[in-house]
Amino acid sequence: MQNKKTRIYCEKSVDGGGRDAEHKPWIETSYHGVITENMETVLLDPPLVALDKDAPVPYAGEICSFKIFGQDAPFEAVVLNRTSGEGILRASSHVDCENQKEYTFIIQAYDCGDGPSGANWKKSHKAVVHIQVDDVNEFSPVFRESLYKASVTEGKIYDSILQVEAWDQDCSPQYSQICNYEIVTGGTPFAIDRNGNIRNTERLSYEKQQSYRIMVSAFDCGQKKAKEDVVVHIEVKPVCKPGWQGWNKRVDYEPGTGSKQLFPKMHLETCGGPLSGVKAMVELQTNHIGKGCDRETYSEKSLQKLCGAASGSTDLLPAPSPSANWTASLLTDSGRESDLIYRFDGNQAANVPDHVVPQNLTDQFTIATWMKHGPSPGLRAAKETILCNSDKTEMNRHHYSLYVHNCRLVFLLRRDFTQIDTYRPAEFHWKLEQICDKEWHYYVINVEFPAVTLFVDGVTYEPYLVTDDWPIHSSKIDTQLTVGACWQGGEVATPRFTQYFHGSLSGLTIRPGRIETQKVISCLQACKEGLDINSLESLAKDIKFHFNPAQSVLVLEGEDVDSINTAMTKVSYINSRQFPTPGLRRLHISTSVQCFGEDTCVSIPDIKAMVMVLPPSEPTITISGSKQLVRPASDLRSPLGVAPFKELRITSTVMKVHRPGVMELMHNLDYCDVLVIGEELEPERESLEIHHSALLGKHLDATNSTSGISIYGVDSMAHYEQVLRQLRYRNWRPGSLTERRFRLTCSELNGRYTSNEFNLEVSVLHHTAPMEHVNHMAAQAQYMRPVHHPLMIHSLNSHMSAPPAATVVIVVCIAALVIIVVIGIYRIHAAHQEGSRDDEDEIKDPESDWESSGLNITVNPMEAHGKAVRGEECEEEDDEDDAELVGGMTMVESDSSDEEEEEENKGRGEVNGRKQKGKPEWDSSCGTY
């Protein structure tokens, strides 16, 4: 083997021409290097240099390469100078500190051997190389959570509410560590330290702010800021205070929406205390609304009829009017949505006229009134008279009176002397809190002598004291009924009022001969708003509840807090009025809690809220129809007269707020007044009437006077239309009357909403004296038929005392008239024969047939000359007609009498105003148009 090696060396030596390498290259035993990530050059310490003792022998003393031995070391060593042996270490691929921070590998140096081929090279010893990868701050901090949440209790200072944490992907401690945190949101009561701990800098208040939302950022030690800030939610919880939570202080109520929940999210917080029962009372305070709550504001008469009260009551405090002027001097409260309220301050009173006062109260009668009264001033307050019937002159006896004395309600009733002269019950006393609580209450006194019963807001109270007295001896002294005081007409120098009332009254009525029922009393004082419970079936079995009669107070009781919470979410407000009174209603909730054993009970504070009733959409009531009616005088003289409002129509529209647009609305009316414009009616010659049959089946009544007629009662617009269309105007002596004008207005809610003023004119056509003969045969107007004028002869015969020259003219005129009469009789007879078949089937009177025809008649003005004399005869005939009036209503003659009169008048050529094959016929004498 040694010979073989020698032979090879010799061959190389011959080929290379150099000397054999005798020494191995030398390098350091270890190297330490640093490379910056994403760079190529490695900084070594010491530098990479290989030495060879064979230098400067070519090849043998030169360094040809460095070789690296290590698994997947991403480096390479490059010889820079073969003679000096200098080299460099560089990265052969991407170096990333985040993947590997350090590398360790082996490096050796190789000389060039014997020649260019590198044969017989020698290598140095192995040196260890340690490479450290320097980090570059290429990554921004990132928070570990996308959202941080925390909650704190109000009123406390926390060292740390919560800690936020960010991290950095960089590999070095300098760039991978988070050195600082910062709250980006300004003006917040919070601070953060370098470790990410958030604390509050001031005491937080739940009432001031319930939650905070802040933004936090992070910085690494290279001051690189996080690209995205993190959101931190901090919820402020109130200090656990027992009480109701989750309720709104104001609840808006839109009219017409039915029942609305007041506390849909309410719950009771007890702070974990052991409870054995909870009792909650919800009170709806409506004392400032109307007469204690939202009630219907119709007139007292309309309300009584609506509630089914017996008729015959007398309103002692009506609205001032020409027929009821005794209340004009009294003070009224305004702003009550048309609710008529009289206020008495101790200086006002009113004498009720004698014709209004019921003359005989009998043993059964009712006195009812709304009253609001407070404590009377002084230790021994004087009597305050609500109603008093006393002697008008000479003496000072009180026959009956209702008054307040020291917060007691007293009713005095002195009966007249009879054959039995004994003590009788005379004064009835009630002592009630309601009399002086400054709130509205409805008082009804039912008298069934000798028993007297008081109803207050529908609840019965018996008198606690009844005193007897002698009856009053009868006398011929007139009495005076007074409201607000008592009249002292005798035993004083000057008659005057005394015992004035201090308070408010409304709807004071007296009804003789009958007492009021409990049902009617409850209806008259019923509230249209109140508390309610939605879905009673969903309440827990342990829940007990009850309402007061007005449904303004609701009491809930239960053993379990959850059951009470569920029940409270069902409490609702309801207002059944179509047009409720807008404004706020206060709510007051008081709660008491029972605890087990001797444990201290939790105190639940009261809460106050309000219901705001929004203003309703106000209706626009419109009366429309024909505004002019032209009728001949004969129609006015007929038993039926004329129907001025035959084509009347009443509509109501409302402008919707939430949904723009106009929609038609159906609601009730409470009165319609037809007033005569100009001179009042003259009862001896004209009337404005409604037949009593028109009011049957409706909640309506009617009163008339020379000023017009009033229809009143709460009923539908359709019923009012029907009644007004049957209104009749008659004038049995129209004389020179040319027109009558009327004005119609209607109301809802006692004048709160009024209609337009609908003016109608009835024009009267009169027949003038004949000036010259008009030949209707020459030119007949359309829709006109020639008619017979039999009364013209009578008119001409009345001038027989004319001079001879005039006599000739008269004879000629009579001859011409006879010819015309003959032709007219012939044409009328033909027309009558043509319509005889229709006449056999018709049973209606001429007025009804004419009105049902729906035809419009145009009066020929040229024909008026021939009707003057005929009108006089018609007037005489109408005066002889039998017309029966029942309560101011006209009873029309039977249809059979009309047919008999038609047969009698057939010879005179009278034609009824009926349809004959679709064509109208004119009555030649006094037919109806």
Side-chain angles (χ1 to χ4, degrees):
M1 287 297 294
Q2 185 176 0
N3 294 336
K4 185 176 181 180
K5 287 182 179 180
T6 303
R7 184 173 61 253
I8 293 173
Y9 173 77
C10 291
E11 292 176 356
K12 286 185 179 180
S13 140
V14 173
D15 295 339
R19 197 176 63 181
D20 293 341
E22 296 181 358
H23 301 91
K24 297 187 293 185
W26 178 88
I27 57 175
E28 299 288 344
T29 56
S30 63
Y31 294 90
H32 293 276
V34 176
I35 183 173
T36 301
E37 64 176 340
N38 302 326
M39 304 294 289
E40 294 183 353
T41 304
V42 180
L43 299 179
L44 286 177
D45 183 26
L48 183 60
V49 177
L51 300 177
D52 196 325
K53 292 183 178 180
D54 293 328
V57 178
Y59 300 106
E62 296 176 353
I63 302 301
C64 277
S65 63
F66 295 97
K67 291 187 178 180
I68 294 174
F69 300 94
Q71 185 175 4
D72 298 328
F75 297 98
E76 61 180 1
V78 179
V79 178
L80 298 179
N81 191 323
R82 297 172 60 178
T83 303
S84 62
E86 295 179 29
I88 62 171
L89 188 64
R90 63 186 182 188
S92 61
S93 61
H94 179 68
V95 177
D96 192 349
C97 178
E98 285 71 35
N99 293 331
Q100 190 167 343
K101 297 179 180 180
E102 295 180 349
Y103 293 89
T104 300
F105 51 86
I106 303 298
I107 189 171
Q108 285 182 307
Y110 289 80
D111 61 15
C112 295
D114 297 336
S117 62
N120 202 22
W121 43 263
K122 293 187 180 296
K123 59 182 178 181
S124 68
H125 59 273
K126 296 180 180 179
V128 178
V129 180
H130 293 280
I131 303 297
Q132 178 181 345
V133 182
D134 278 354
D135 189 20
V136 175
N137 194 4
E138 57 183 333
F139 293 100
S140 300
V142 177
F143 287 94
R144 296 192 181 275
E145 302 290 341
S146 59
L147 175 66
Y148 289 88
K149 292 183 178 180
S151 60
V152 296
T153 302
E154 64 174 343
K156 294 178 61 177
I157 296 293
Y158 291 81
D159 294 332
S160 177
I161 297 174
L162 78 160
Q163 183 182 22
V164 297
E165 184 180 1
W167 66 286
D168 198 312
Q169 296 183 36
D170 290 317
C171 62
S172 64
Q174 179 182 3
Y175 300 135
S176 63
Q177 292 183 0
I178 306 300
C179 287
N180 192 24
Y181 290 92
E182 183 181 273
I183 295 178
V184 179
T185 306
T188 59
F190 300 98
I192 190 169
D193 62 16
R194 61 186 304 166
N195 295 322
N197 294 305
I198 298 177
R199 60 183 177 87
N200 57 318
T201 58
E202 62 184 50
R203 299 182 189 276
L204 304 179
S205 172
Y206 176 80
E207 294 183 358
K208 182 179 179 181
Q209 191 166 344
Q210 289 80 36
S211 64
Y212 293 87
R213 183 180 184 271
I214 60 177
M215 304 295 294
V216 176
S217 188
F219 296 85
D220 61 20
C221 294
Q223 293 305 306
K224 196 174 186 67
K225 184 178 179 295
K227 286 185 177 180
E228 293 184 2
D229 301 331
V230 71
V231 178
V232 179
H233 279 293
I234 299 177
E235 181 183 359
V236 181
K237 291 185 176 180
V239 175
C240 188
K241 299 176 183 178
W244 292 102
Q245 297 181 4
W247 54 277
N248 294 324
K249 191 171 183 179
R250 167 172 166 165
V251 179
D252 288 342
Y253 180 81
E254 184 178 352
T257 56
S259 179
K260 182 170 184 177
Q261 288 178 270
L262 296 175
F263 316 108
K265 298 181 180 179
M266 175 182 270
H267 63 278
L268 181 62
E269 178 61 62
T270 59
C271 296
L275 306 177
S276 61
V278 180
K279 179 179 179 181
M281 182 173 69
V282 184
E283 182 180 2
L284 179 68
Q285 299 174 346
T286 60
N287 299 331
H288 60 291
I289 302 295
K291 296 192 290 286
C293 69
D294 208 1
R295 295 182 170 93
E296 295 293 3
T297 56
Y298 295 115
S299 65
E300 197 64 28
K301 281 190 175 181
S302 297
L303 284 174
Q304 289 179 356
K305 193 169 184 64
L306 191 65
C307 290
S311 59
S313 67
T314 300
D315 190 356
L316 302 179
L317 284 176
S321 66
S323 59
N325 56 2
W326 68 90
T327 59
S329 62
L330 300 179
L331 298 177
T332 59
D333 276 353
S334 59
R336 296 290 185 176
E337 300 295 340
S338 302
D339 203 358
L340 187 60
I341 294 174
Y342 289 96
R343 181 167 53 87
F344 296 85
D345 60 0
N347 297 309
Q348 288 85 26
N351 283 330
V352 182
D354 294 339
H355 69 274
V356 177
V357 180
Q359 298 302 316
N360 184 15
L361 292 181
T362 72
D363 287 340
Q364 286 188 341
F365 62 93
T366 299
I367 298 176
T369 185
W370 286 95
M371 182 178 73
K372 182 169 72 171
H373 181 265
S376 303
L379 295 177
R380 289 190 58 81
K383 295 180 180 179
E384 299 179 57
T385 302
I386 301 169
L387 180 68
C388 179
N389 185 268
S390 59
D391 289 332
K392 185 177 292 187
T393 59
E394 299 183 25
M395 303 181 71
N396 188 30
R397 298 175 303 173
H398 294 186
H399 296 260
Y400 63 88
S401 66
L402 180 65
Y403 61 91
V404 175
H405 187 210
N406 289 328
C407 292
R408 292 172 174 83
L409 186 65
V410 182
F411 177 63
L412 170 68
L413 180 61
R414 300 284 302 279
R415 307 297 291 180
D416 289 339
F417 175 79
T418 60
Q419 293 180 356
I420 304 176
D421 190 5
T422 60
Y423 270 162
R424 294 187 179 185
E427 280 191 345
F428 303 84
H429 298 249
W430 295 270
K431 185 177 181 180
L432 305 172
E433 294 180 357
Q434 296 93 320
I435 297 172
C436 289
D437 64 358
K438 296 182 180 180
E439 304 294 346
W440 280 105
H441 300 284
Y442 188 55
Y443 298 84
V444 178
I445 295 178
N446 273 349
V447 178
E448 287 184 290
F449 194 80
V452 177
T453 304
L454 172 67
F455 292 85
V456 181
D457 298 331
V459 180
T460 307
Y461 295 92
E462 297 295 333
Y464 80 94
L465 175 65
V466 178
T467 60
D468 296 340
D469 202 348
W470 292 102
I472 295 178
H473 288 272
S474 59
S475 66
K476 296 183 179 181
I477 301 175
D478 293 333
T479 59
Q480 175 64 60
L481 183 63
T482 309
V483 177
C486 200
W487 179 255
Q488 189 172 359
E491 302 179 358
V492 291
T494 304
R496 58 185 175 87
F497 290 114
T498 185
Q499 301 176 3
Y500 284 99
F501 178 71
H502 296 77
S504 297
L505 298 175
S506 179
L508 177 60
T509 61
I510 185 168
R511 176 185 289 108
R514 181 175 292 188
I515 62 172
E516 206 60 271
T517 64
Q518 176 80 48
K519 181 179 179 181
V520 172
I521 294 173
S522 299
C523 175
L524 289 172
Q525 61 90 36
C527 288
K528 295 298 181 179
E529 63 179 341
L531 299 173
D532 192 17
I533 295 181
N534 285 342
S535 60
L536 291 173
E537 64 278 359
S538 64
L539 297 181
K541 294 182 179 180
D542 65 317
I543 293 294
K544 300 178 182 178
F545 68 92
H546 62 272
F547 292 94
N548 67 334
Q551 282 194 228
S552 60
V553 177
L554 167 64
V555 178
L556 292 167
E557 296 183 68
E559 301 175 357
D560 182 58
V561 175
D562 292 337
S563 299
I564 286 290
N565 289 340
T566 302
M568 287 297 289
T569 61
K570 305 295 182 182
V571 178
S572 304
Y573 169 81
I574 187 170
N575 195 316
S576 60
R577 291 190 66 190
Q578 190 172 14
F579 306 107
T581 303
L584 63 87
R585 278 77 164 158
R586 294 180 180 87
L587 290 166
H588 182 267
I589 301 178
S590 57
T591 309
S592 60
V593 176
Q594 296 177 351
C595 301
F596 292 102
E598 301 298 328
D599 294 340
T600 303
C601 277
V602 180
S603 177
I604 307 297
D606 294 351
I607 65 173
K608 295 181 179 180
M610 67 176 69
V611 177
M612 179 59 72
V613 178
L614 303 178
S617 299
E618 296 191 357
T620 301
I621 305 172
T622 305
I623 303 175
S624 59
S626 176
K627 293 188 176 182
Q628 187 170 18
L629 187 68
V630 180
R631 287 292 184 268
S634 58
D635 282 8
L636 273 64
R637 289 191 298 266
S638 66
L640 287 177
V642 296
F645 301 104
K646 188 71 174 180
E647 300 176 0
L648 179 76
R649 187 165 188 266
I650 305 175
T651 58
S652 180
T653 57
V654 64
M655 179 70 71
K656 283 296 182 180
V657 178
H658 302 289
R659 297 179 182 176
V662 178
M663 64 175 295
E664 190 165 343
L665 187 68
M666 298 302 296
H667 58 79
N668 291 330
L669 299 176
D670 58 353
Y671 71 79
C672 285
D673 290 338
V674 180
L675 299 179
V676 179
I677 303 176
E679 297 181 358
E680 294 187 354
L681 297 174
E682 299 180 22
E684 66 276 3
R685 60 184 299 176
E686 58 184 340
S687 67
L688 199 60
E689 302 166 349
I690 293 180
H691 198 281
H692 67 85
S693 62
L695 303 175
L696 295 179
K698 304 176 180 66
H699 297 287
L700 298 178
D701 277 328
T703 58
N704 57 0
S705 66
T706 58
S707 299
I709 190 167
S710 179
I711 305 165
Y712 61 90
V714 182
D715 212 329
S716 64
M717 293 187 294
H719 280 179
Y720 268 93
E721 274 187 4
Q722 295 173 11
V723 173
L724 286 169
R725 288 174 180 174
Q726 299 181 59
L727 181 68
R728 295 283 176 169
Y729 171 66
R730 294 183 62 212
N731 191 319
W732 43 94
R733 289 198 298 273
S736 60
L737 180 68
T738 59
E739 63 182 16
R740 259 297 186 191
R741 290 183 296 133
F742 304 97
R743 176 175 296 156
L744 170 63
T745 56
C746 294
S747 157
E748 164 67 335
L749 296 177
N750 202 20
R752 179 177 173 185
Y753 305 115
T754 56
S755 69
N756 60 310
E757 292 184 348
F758 180 77
N759 296 319
L760 182 139
E761 180 179 298
V762 177
S763 298
V764 183
L765 293 179
H766 292 277
H767 305 301
T768 59
M771 296 179 62
E772 63 177 3
H773 176 71
V774 179
N775 189 352
H776 296 283
M777 298 296 294
Q780 296 186 18
Q782 191 177 6
Y783 308 118
M784 303 289 287
R785 288 181 180 270
V787 294
H788 183 220
H789 302 277
L791 298 182
M792 188 71 71
I793 300 177
H794 172 76
S795 176
L796 294 176
N797 289 337
S798 64
H799 296 83
M800 290 302 294
S801 61
T807 304
V808 177
V809 176
I810 292 174
V811 172
V812 174
C813 292
I814 290 175
L817 181 59
V818 169
I819 298 174
I820 295 174
V821 168
V822 172
I823 297 175
I825 292 175
Y826 173 78
R827 293 178 62 88
I828 291 174
H829 179 72
H832 184 74
Q833 288 297 110
E834 187 180 6
S836 60
R837 291 185 301 272
D838 297 333
D839 292 340
E840 292 175 359
D841 297 331
E842 293 178 352
I843 61 172
K844 297 181 181 179
D845 59 1
E847 174 74 11
S848 302
D849 290 342
W850 174 255
E851 293 178 17
S852 63
S853 66
L855 296 178
N856 294 326
I857 301 305
T858 303
V859 178
N860 187 353
M862 298 300 295
E863 196 173 1
H865 301 294
K867 295 181 179 178
V869 179
R870 182 182 49 188
E872 296 176 359
E873 183 176 340
C874 290
E875 182 176 347
E876 295 175 359
E877 292 176 1
D878 286 316
D879 289 340
E880 296 173 358
D881 288 339
D882 294 332
E884 182 182 357
L885 295 179
V886 180
M889 309 301 175
T890 303
M891 300 296 292
V892 188
E893 293 181 347
S894 64
D895 295 337
S896 60
S897 64
D898 290 343
E899 294 176 359
E900 292 173 2
E901 182 180 356
E902 178 185 352
E903 293 295 329
E904 294 174 359
N905 295 333
K906 187 181 302 182
R908 295 187 298 172
E910 293 187 352
V911 180
N912 288 330
R914 298 178 177 176
K915 292 185 298 182
Q916 296 185 5
K917 294 187 177 181
K919 297 181 181 180
E921 289 263 8
W922 288 90
D923 190 341
S924 60
S925 59
C926 52
T928 302
Y929 288 84

